[in-house]
Amino acid sequence: MKFSLNFLKEFLEIKVSPDKLSELLTMAGLEVIARERVGSDTSFEVEVTSNRPDLLSIVGIAYEASALLGKKSKVSLVKVKTKPALNMPVTIESKKDCSLYIGRVIENVKITPSPAWLVERLKACGINSVSNVVDITNYCMLKWGQPLHAFDLDKLSEKLIIRRARPKEKLICIDNKERELNSEALVIADGKKPIALAGVIGGKTCEVSAQTKRIFLEAAIFSPIRIRRTRRLLGINTESSYRFERAVNPAYIEQACFEAASLIERLSGGKVCGYKKIGTTPPLKRPRIKFEVSKMNNFLGTDIKENKALQILKHLGFKVDKTRRDIFIKSPLFRQDISVEQDLFEEIARIWGYQNIKEELPAVKKDMEVRPSFYRFKEAIREKAIRLGFKEIITLSIVSEKHISSHLLEDVEAIRVVNPLRADEDLLRPFVFLGMLERLRHNVYRKQRNLEFFEIADSFIKSGGSFKESPKLCLGVHSDAKEDFYVFKGKVEAFLKTLGIEGFSIQEREQDLFSNFCLIENLGWIGILGSDKAYALDLNQVFLAEFDLEALACQAKESTFVNINYLPWVERDISMAVRGDVKFNRIEDMIKAEVGALLKGLEVCDVYKGEKISKDFTGFTLRVFYQHKARTLEAQEVDSLHFSLRDALASIEGVILR
Amino acid sequence: MLEEFGKIKQEAEQAIDGCGSLKELEDLRVRFLGRKSALTSLSSSLKGLSPQDKPEAGRLFNQTKNFIAGLIEEKKKDFKGLEDRLDLSFASEKINLGSKHPASIVVREICDIFAGLGFEVQEGKEIEDEWHNFQALNIPLEHPSRDMFDTFYLDLKPSGAYKHLLRSHTSPSQIRLMKKRKPPLAFLVPGRVYRPDAVDASHSFMFHQIEGFAVSRDINFSHLKGALVYFAKHMFSDKAKLRFRPHFFPFTEPSAEVDISCIICKGKGCSVCKRTGWLEILGCGMIHPNVLKACKINPKTYQGFAFGMGIERIAMLKFGINDIRLFFENDIRFLEQFYEV
C-alpha cells in the first residue's frame, strides 16, 4: 500500500526526515519497502500486515506515527448532517452479509477532471485520477480507510437491494469483464439486476461517466468473509475489497461519507438532497485485559518499568484502568486484533524497540528419555550412499501421470492433488524412482553420461481408507556398459553390509518397465530398465534400486567384532565356461555345499566372452580360498577337496571345466 | 699379484662405466665386491703371503676395494631418481566422488548448530490435515492471514471435518510433537513443504523449511534473540549482525522478521540486498497462547518461542546460488560444486 507524506502531515507534525520516518515505522512493525519522490511529495510504500487493517488509512498511520514520535495526532471530526432524508427504498437481505448501509444522493453534478491538489494526493498514494467524483471516493477511502462507491443514479431503477446473486446472474464490471455469478457472491442490485459486486467492484451500467448528473454515494460495512468469498470466487482483488476483507473501522464511516459528499458538492457544483442509513454498526470486541508488568518482563526478558509500559499503551490509544489491586487495559475500537495479554506485550515491545531487548542463550533442560531420531538414521544412510560414490539429488514429489506406465499404476492407488498448479501434474508419486529416472534423462540430454545418483524421499499411496507415506532410498545409475550392472550390484551389497545386512534372499520377478527385476526380501528391489523404455527416453543402460528406510532400520544391526583369522589360506583356481542358461548362484551354492566351513571366500576373475569361446557360453576363472578356523591347512587336504569340487562342478550340465 | 688387482680394477671400471641401471649397478657391486667376487677370493689368498709382502698386498687390496666402491657411488649419482622419475605434471585420473545436495548440507549444518543448544531433530509427514496445518496454529480458515499459506489439497478422506493437504510449512509437525511431549522441550523439524506459488527464480512449489521451537516455564523473547544470534554467528560469520523487526504471524505474539547484515556487501548496499544492507532470513516469535492450548499445554504455566526459515534461501545466501530452480533441476554440474568444509 502506498501513502503520501504530505497527506500524513495534515494530521501530524513531522519534523524528522523521510529516512528517519521510514526507519521508525519499519522498526515498529510497519515495514517501508520503497520510497520515491512524486512532485513535491514523497510516496511511501508499506507492507501492512493482515492484523493491522487500521493502518490501511492515513488517519490510522497518523495515529501510529504520532505514538512513535511522541506527538499527538489531530484528526478533526466534523458534525455529520443527516438531513434531508432520502426516500429511496434500500433493503438489506441479510444482516450477516451487510450490517450497515449509508446512502447519499447528490444532484446537479458536473463530472470534470479533478483539481491539481487532488490528483497529486492520489498519485502519491499510487492511484490514478479518473474524474472529480471517482477521485473523491478514492481520496476519502485513503484517508479514512472506508471504501466508498458512486453510482450514476439515473441509470438505476430507483430502489436498492443488498443481496446474494442468483445462480447464473451476470454482471459486466467497470473493468469491462463480464462475470457469471452464483449465490456466494454479494451484490448491490436495483429492482431489476445486479449493478455492482458489493464491496469489490462496480458494474458498468451504473458507472459514473461524463454525462452523469445525479450521484448515489454508498458507504457500507460488509462482512469480511462474504467479501473474501466473493472476490476469490471471481478472481478479483481491489483496494476496496482488500479493506473490507480485513474489516474496516466503523468509527469513521459517517465521517468518510459526509466528507465525500461535501467534497462532491464543492468540486462538482452539486447539492446533497438525501441521506439514508439502514442497519447498525456490527458488534465490536472490546476486551478488558488484565496487565501485569512482571509477567510481561518475564515473557520478554526485559526490565521495563510499569509507568513506561503504561505510557506506551496510552500513546497507542489504549485505556488504562487501575483498580486497587490490578491494572486493566482496554484496547481502542480500531484495534480489533487485541485479545490476549501477549498482544499487549507485543505493543509495548515493538515501541520499546526489539533492538533494546537483550540477547541471552536459553537453558534447554534435557531429560533421561531416549528418543531415537529417524533423521539420524537418514543421515547415516546419506553418508553411506555418498561414500559409495553417489551424488544426492532432490526431485519433485508431484509428477505427471504420463511419466508413469499405466501398468505400474494398476498395482497401487496414487494420491491426487485436487488443485494442482498445472492440470496434468497432479499425482503424488507412489514411487521415488520416477524422479530419479527423470533427472537421469535430463542430465543425459545435456550430454552428461556417467551418472550415479541417490535420493532420500517419501513415497505416497492410498491405503486402507487412509494413506501411507514411506521414506525411501533410491539409487540410480546411467552407464554405457551393461557389465557395469555388477558394479552397481556390488555397491548395493556393500551398502547393505554397512547396515549389518548380509546373506539376504532375492526373488526375481517380472516387472513392467524393467528387463531384469528382483526383490530383496522386504527391504526393496534392484533392476535394470527395459531397453524399449530406455530407448524411448534416449538413455542407454539404467540401473535402479529402491529401499524402504523403515524396513532397513528394523533389520539394521550394529557392528560386532569377529576375531581375525591370521592363519594362512590356500588359493586354487578353476577355469570354466558356463552356458547362458546356467545361473551363477547354482555354481556358488554347489561350492558352498561341497567346501562347507573351510570356504574362506570366492572370487571371479578374467570374465571372457568372445571369439575363443562358444557363442552362448561365458568363460571365467573362479578363485576358491580355503582356510581352517583353528589350524594351518595342509596342501594335500586342499587338493583332495578341490578335486572333488571340480568333479561336482563338472557334473552340472552346461558347465565345462578348462 | 699387482697385475691381478689391476685387472680387477680395469674390469670393474669398464663394467661400471657401461652400466645402464641401478639394478645392474647393484649386480655389479655383488659381482665385484660380494662374497663370491674375484676380489674376495684374492683377499683370502693373501693369507699365504710372506710377512714382507702381506702389508703391500693388504694395502693394494684395500685400495682396489675402495676404488671400486668409489666408482659405484659415483655411478649411482647418474641414476639418482632417474628410474623413479615421472612427469608429475601429467594429467591425473578424474575421480568422481559422491556428494550431498546443498539443501541437505544446510539442513545438517543448522541441526548441528542447534544441537549445541540442546535441540533435538525430529521429522514429520508431508501429508497433513487442515487442523494441524491451520486451526491448531491459530490460522482461521477464512481470513486474509491464510493467504500467505495457500495449499495443495489432496483427494483423501477428510480427518473429521478437516481436509487433507500437503503441508505448507513444517509447523504442523511441531504441533504433533507438542501434543505428544510435555514441556520442557526443544525441537528442530526440517522437511519438504509445498505451496502452489508460480515457479520462478525465487519460488518453487516444493521447497524445504526448518522450524525450531522451545517451550518451558521461563523461556522468553531474549532467549529467542540469543538463540538466533548464536545461530547466525555460527552459520554465516562471527561478525554477523541481526535485526529483529516487528511483524505478524497468527501463531506467534510478539512476532518478528529477522534480517541479517548483507553477507555480500557487508551492509553497504548492493543488488542482492536491494541496497538496504539487510537480507531477510527468518520469521520467529513467542508461541501464541492459543497454539499452546491447542496442544493441551497451559499457557499460564508455560511459554516458548518458535522460528522458521527457508532452507533454499539460506543455501542461496551461503553459496551464492541465484536461482532456486537449480536445486530441483539436479544438473550434475550443479551438484558437484558443493562440499562440506
Side-chain angles (χ1 to χ4, degrees):
Chain A
M1 189 196 90
K2 291 189 176 157
F3 73 82
S4 139
L5 181 57
N6 287 350
F7 208 165
L8 189 64
K9 282 183 173 168
E10 287 180 25
F11 303 97
L12 177 65
E13 191 188 9
I14 301 176
K15 286 212 183 110
V16 299
S17 68
D19 254 343
K20 183 75 185 155
L21 182 63
S22 285
E23 196 195 309
L24 282 173
L25 290 171
T26 299
M27 293 314 284
L30 181 61
E31 193 187 354
V32 177
I33 47 188
R35 228 171 56 217
E36 64 176 321
R37 285 205 65 81
V38 181
S40 60
D41 202 346
T42 310
S43 169
F44 282 64
E45 190 178 353
V46 290
E47 195 195 305
V48 178
T49 50
S50 57
N51 62 325
R52 295 298 302 274
D54 60 299
L55 296 174
L56 291 171
S57 63
I58 300 289
V59 297
I61 297 177
Y63 210 105
E64 172 86 4
S66 67
L68 296 174
L69 293 168
K71 299 212 187 311
K72 272 203 105 46
S73 77
K74 39 183 169 61
V75 180
S76 38
L77 301 181
V78 298
K79 186 152 162 51
V80 168
K81 293 201 194 106
T82 59
K83 300 260 185 308
L86 179 62
N87 253 335
M88 196 169 113
V90 177
T91 343
I92 300 176
E93 193 178 60
S94 164
K95 260 200 319 212
K96 285 213 194 91
D97 291 340
C98 172
S99 42
L100 179 64
Y101 197 91
I102 297 174
R104 273 196 169 80
V105 170
I106 306 118
E107 296 194 332
N108 284 323
V109 301
K110 243 169 128 314
I111 304 301
T112 62
S114 298
W117 67 265
L118 182 51
V119 177
E120 271 166 30
R121 271 287 180 277
L122 291 178
K123 191 162 171 213
C125 293
I127 294 186
N128 290 325
S129 170
V130 177
S131 65
N132 52 358
V133 168
V134 175
D135 289 355
I136 287 166
T137 58
N138 281 330
Y139 173 85
C140 291
M141 175 188 74
L142 289 170
K143 177 169 168 179
W144 300 101
Q146 170 66 48
L148 304 164
H149 192 78
F151 296 95
D152 184 333
L153 188 53
D154 291 326
K155 300 275 176 60
L156 56 83
S157 77
E158 298 226 358
K159 81 174 193 180
L160 269 184
I161 315 169
I162 299 99
R163 62 167 171 83
R164 301 286 185 93
R166 297 192 197 99
K168 304 244 174 85
E169 260 189 315
K170 288 197 174 63
L171 174 71
I172 303 175
C173 307
I174 58 175
D175 60 357
N176 289 315
K177 285 209 185 92
E178 183 180 68
R179 291 177 166 90
E180 190 176 295
L181 314 170
N182 65 31
S183 60
E184 283 295 326
L186 188 69
V187 296
I188 312 292
D190 66 10
K192 301 203 182 82
K193 58 191 187 325
I195 58 166
L197 273 175
V200 181
I201 192 170
K204 199 121 183 92
T205 47
C206 300
E207 188 181 9
V208 167
S209 69
Q211 289 75 43
T212 301
K213 292 273 174 288
R214 295 162 74 215
I215 301 276
F216 179 87
L217 181 65
E218 161 198 288
I221 297 181
F222 301 112
S223 137
I225 289 191
R226 186 50 41 203
I227 300 303
R228 181 178 168 81
R229 288 197 195 165
T230 303
R231 67 110 181 137
R232 274 169 71 100
L233 175 75
L234 296 151
I236 339 163
N237 206 351
T238 59
E239 297 268 357
S240 179
S241 66
Y242 195 82
R243 284 166 174 79
F244 279 122
E245 204 178 324
R246 286 155 178 74
V248 298
N249 174 14
Y252 297 134
I253 186 173
E254 292 275 22
Q255 292 293 313
C257 191
F258 183 65
E259 181 170 357
S262 311
L263 276 171
I264 292 176
E265 278 186 329
R266 228 179 74 199
L267 296 182
S268 74
K271 187 114 181 74
V272 175
C273 57
Y275 164 95
K276 190 164 187 132
K277 170 169 143 177
I278 46 171
T280 52
T281 50
L284 292 174
K285 296 193 288 174
R286 230 180 154 195
R288 199 161 160 263
I289 304 170
K290 187 160 130 182
F291 176 74
E292 285 166 76
V293 76
S294 56
K295 273 195 99 180
M296 178 189 74
N297 285 321
N298 185 39
F299 195 76
L300 298 174
T302 48
D303 197 13
I304 303 172
K305 300 273 184 288
E306 184 182 275
N307 54 349
K308 178 69 186 167
L310 296 177
Q311 184 193 62
I312 291 173
L313 289 176
K314 279 190 231 175
H315 272 173
L316 288 169
F318 290 77
K319 292 234 168 356
V320 177
D321 179 16
K322 271 190 176 160
T323 68
R324 218 167 351 125
R325 280 182 315 181
D326 304 313
I327 298 175
F328 289 92
I329 306 290
K330 219 164 169 197
S331 50
L333 272 176
F334 61 84
R335 292 300 301 273
Q336 289 295 298
D337 59 303
I338 306 290
S339 51
V340 292
E341 63 182 348
Q342 287 83 356
D343 294 323
L344 300 176
F345 300 165
E346 181 179 68
E347 292 303 296
I348 294 162
R350 69 185 183 88
I351 304 297
W352 173 260
Y354 284 0
Q355 65 276 12
N356 295 322
I357 301 178
K358 62 184 192 272
E359 295 151 13
E360 292 213 335
L361 285 177
V364 173
K365 282 208 187 75
K366 305 292 286 172
D367 60 13
M368 287 297 220
E369 200 186 320
V370 177
R371 277 175 291 276
S373 166
F374 203 71
Y375 172 71
R376 274 274 215 67
F377 181 70
K378 276 191 190 172
E379 277 296 288
I381 297 288
R382 220 182 299 269
E383 297 295 331
K384 290 176 204 301
I386 293 170
R387 219 182 298 151
L388 286 163
F390 293 90
K391 288 183 160 47
E392 187 180 12
I393 61 173
I394 295 182
T395 67
L396 301 170
S397 322
I398 303 178
V399 298
S400 172
E401 200 169 336
K402 62 177 188 265
H403 288 150
I404 318 178
S405 102
S406 46
H407 294 294
L408 271 186
L409 283 182
E410 274 164 17
D411 294 331
V412 293
E413 224 195 314
I415 300 172
R416 267 179 210 281
V417 175
V418 167
N419 54 331
L421 268 181
R422 286 170 49 166
D424 62 342
E425 258 171 33
D426 69 337
L427 224 58
L428 262 193
R429 63 180 175 193
F431 315 107
V432 175
F433 79 85
L434 295 172
M436 172 66 67
L437 203 50
E438 226 315 280
R439 290 299 108 190
L440 287 173
R441 190 204 61 76
H442 182 92
N443 274 278
V444 169
Y445 181 73
R446 302 256 187 98
K447 311 269 186 279
Q448 312 292 326
R449 295 194 76 79
N450 290 309
L451 308 165
E452 290 182 80
F453 290 153
F454 80 94
E455 180 170 14
I456 295 177
D458 287 357
S459 67
F460 308 90
I461 52 169
K462 287 188 187 171
S463 162
S466 177
F467 68 91
K468 198 161 182 308
E469 186 179 326
S470 325
K472 299 272 202 260
L473 165 72
C474 180
L475 300 168
V477 164
H478 179 269
S479 161
D480 286 318
K482 197 162 188 178
E483 306 74 63
D484 280 352
F485 175 75
Y486 294 108
V487 176
F488 182 67
K489 180 169 163 261
K491 290 192 176 185
V492 167
E493 284 171 5
F495 165 76
L496 291 171
K497 187 161 174 204
T498 68
L499 287 167
I501 300 173
E502 286 183 88
F504 44 83
S505 59
I506 63 172
Q507 192 194 3
E508 274 199 56
R509 220 179 68 175
E510 289 296 309
Q511 181 63 43
D512 211 49
L513 281 192
F514 293 87
S515 59
N516 293 274
F517 184 91
C518 71
L519 295 171
I520 301 175
E521 290 188 2
N522 69 328
L523 302 171
W525 51 263
I526 185 173
I528 305 178
L529 195 66
S531 48
D532 49 344
K533 177 72 180 175
Y535 182 74
L537 295 171
D538 268 325
L539 296 172
N540 198 338
Q541 302 296 320
V542 178
F543 315 132
L544 297 164
E546 207 174 276
F547 289 98
D548 184 304
L549 290 181
E550 280 162 350
L552 284 180
C554 268
Q555 282 224 38
K557 285 192 289 288
E558 296 266 355
S559 336
T560 32
F561 173 68
V562 170
N563 274 303
I564 302 167
N565 185 344
Y566 290 102
L567 294 166
W569 63 85
V570 181
E571 299 169 15
R572 287 279 186 274
D573 289 352
I574 307 179
S575 287
M576 58 181 75
V578 177
R579 208 171 58 208
D581 63 313
V582 179
K583 289 247 187 273
F584 184 81
N585 56 6
R586 204 168 141 205
I587 296 169
E588 204 176 21
D589 289 344
M590 164 125 338
I591 298 176
K592 283 184 187 160
E594 283 287 320
V595 180
L598 292 177
L599 183 66
K600 178 187 187 301
L602 200 60
E603 254 172 42
V604 172
C605 353
D606 306 328
V607 181
Y608 181 79
K609 225 178 144 60
E611 302 152 357
K612 295 199 192 136
I613 197 169
S614 317
K615 221 165 68 148
D616 59 333
F617 276 74
T618 306
F620 54 85
T621 302
L622 268 179
R623 185 158 295 164
V624 187
F625 296 81
Y626 296 87
Q627 188 188 45
H628 195 283
K629 286 199 175 18
R631 57 176 175 79
T632 306
L633 277 178
E634 297 300 321
Q636 307 98 282
E637 286 179 86
V638 173
D639 285 338
S640 64
L641 190 50
H642 194 69
F643 283 136
S644 53
L645 176 62
R646 285 184 65 94
D647 287 341
L649 288 174
S651 75
I652 301 177
E653 218 240 288
V655 175
I656 303 172
L657 298 190
R658 289 142 90 225
Chain B
M1 182 69 73
L2 184 72
E3 61 179 56
E4 297 258 17
F5 282 113
K7 210 169 104 190
I8 292 174
K9 261 180 32 186
Q10 201 181 32
E11 226 186 291
E13 197 170 10
Q14 239 179 357
I16 289 169
D17 193 52
C19 170
S21 75
L22 260 182
K23 182 160 195 315
E24 240 185 271
L25 191 61
E26 175 59 21
D27 291 342
L28 289 178
R29 190 193 65 77
V30 171
R31 182 170 142 203
F32 288 106
L33 300 177
R35 265 184 306 142
K36 298 184 183 154
S37 66
L39 189 60
T40 312
S41 33
L42 257 187
S43 80
S44 40
S45 68
L46 284 184
K47 294 197 185 98
L49 287 177
S50 63
Q52 296 102 298
D53 293 328
K54 245 201 229 176
E56 176 63 20
R59 194 186 57 80
L60 270 174
F61 170 77
N62 283 323
Q63 195 243 22
T64 311
K65 193 172 91 168
N66 292 332
F67 176 73
I68 296 175
L71 280 178
I72 290 176
E73 278 309 303
E74 261 314 300
K75 191 67 182 176
K76 263 197 195 163
K77 289 183 188 161
D78 282 3
F79 300 117
K80 193 172 162 81
L82 250 176
E83 298 221 326
D84 305 325
R85 265 281 183 265
L86 284 178
D87 176 359
L88 291 181
S89 73
F90 197 76
S92 1
E93 284 283 319
K94 180 162 197 289
I95 304 296
N96 291 310
L97 296 172
S99 62
K100 215 183 239 198
H101 193 280
S104 299
I105 294 177
V106 168
V107 170
R108 178 59 186 264
E109 201 175 330
I110 297 173
C111 288
D112 286 348
I113 293 170
F114 281 98
L117 290 176
F119 283 70
E120 281 177 54
V121 183
Q122 287 289 343
E123 291 175 303
K125 296 250 178 278
E126 293 166 28
I127 295 181
E128 267 300 347
D129 63 58
E130 283 173 313
W131 190 85
H132 289 88
N133 201 66
F134 295 115
Q135 214 84 332
L137 290 161
N138 206 36
I139 304 170
L141 281 177
E142 283 199 281
H143 187 267
S145 58
R146 171 93 169 66
D147 290 342
M148 40 174 162
F149 305 106
D150 240 347
T151 33
F152 286 112
Y153 279 89
L154 302 172
D155 69 339
L156 289 169
K157 238 179 17 192
S159 173
Y162 299 103
K163 295 189 266 205
H164 280 104
L165 39 77
L166 285 171
R167 65 182 178 190
S168 51
H169 39 190
T170 42
S171 321
S173 312
Q174 262 191 46
I175 298 289
R176 288 182 188 273
L177 281 170
M178 283 203 284
K179 275 164 72 182
K180 266 207 298 227
R181 293 248 303 113
K182 291 306 149 211
L185 40 81
F187 284 107
L188 218 49
V189 182
R192 294 188 187 199
V193 299
Y194 304 83
R195 295 198 193 164
D197 283 334
V199 176
D200 60 31
S202 12
H203 298 92
S204 169
F205 69 78
M206 181 188 94
F207 57 101
H208 295 79
Q209 248 197 3
I210 187 164
E211 299 199 14
F213 59 104
V215 179
S216 78
R217 285 178 189 272
D218 48 24
I219 285 198
N220 62 44
F221 195 82
S222 73
H223 296 134
L224 172 60
K225 287 189 74 180
L228 292 177
V229 169
Y230 176 89
F231 159 71
K233 283 193 193 293
H234 285 84
M235 185 79 199
F236 297 101
S237 138
D238 60 342
K239 296 192 184 52
K241 289 213 170 353
L242 289 187
R243 182 174 82 164
F244 290 77
R245 267 184 297 112
H247 195 65
F248 169 71
F249 300 111
F251 33 81
T252 47
E253 189 81 9
S255 310
E257 275 187 337
V258 184
D259 307 320
I260 192 172
S261 45
C262 183
I263 51 183
I264 312 292
C265 63
K266 312 262 191 306
K268 292 200 201 79
C270 67
S271 61
V272 178
C273 63
K274 300 201 183 88
R275 259 134 0 130
T276 61
W278 296 98
L279 294 164
E280 191 188 309
I281 53 166
L282 282 170
C284 67
M286 296 298 285
I287 301 176
H288 197 287
N290 290 355
V291 175
L292 292 176
K293 271 194 232 163
C295 301
K296 309 255 193 314
I297 294 174
N298 188 347
K300 294 205 201 318
T301 325
Y302 294 105
Q303 54 198 49
F305 65 68
F307 60 86
M309 57 189 115
I311 295 296
E312 283 78 7
R313 172 135 177 88
I314 303 290
M316 286 166 87
L317 291 176
K318 188 182 160 75
F319 296 122
I321 303 168
N322 57 2
D323 190 325
I324 198 176
R325 293 169 289 197
L326 291 167
F327 286 84
F328 309 107
E329 202 175 59
N330 298 292
D331 191 308
I332 196 172
R333 294 164 293 188
F334 171 78
L335 301 171
E336 65 192 9
Q337 293 187 37
F338 305 100
Y339 40 82
E340 295 160 280
V341 169

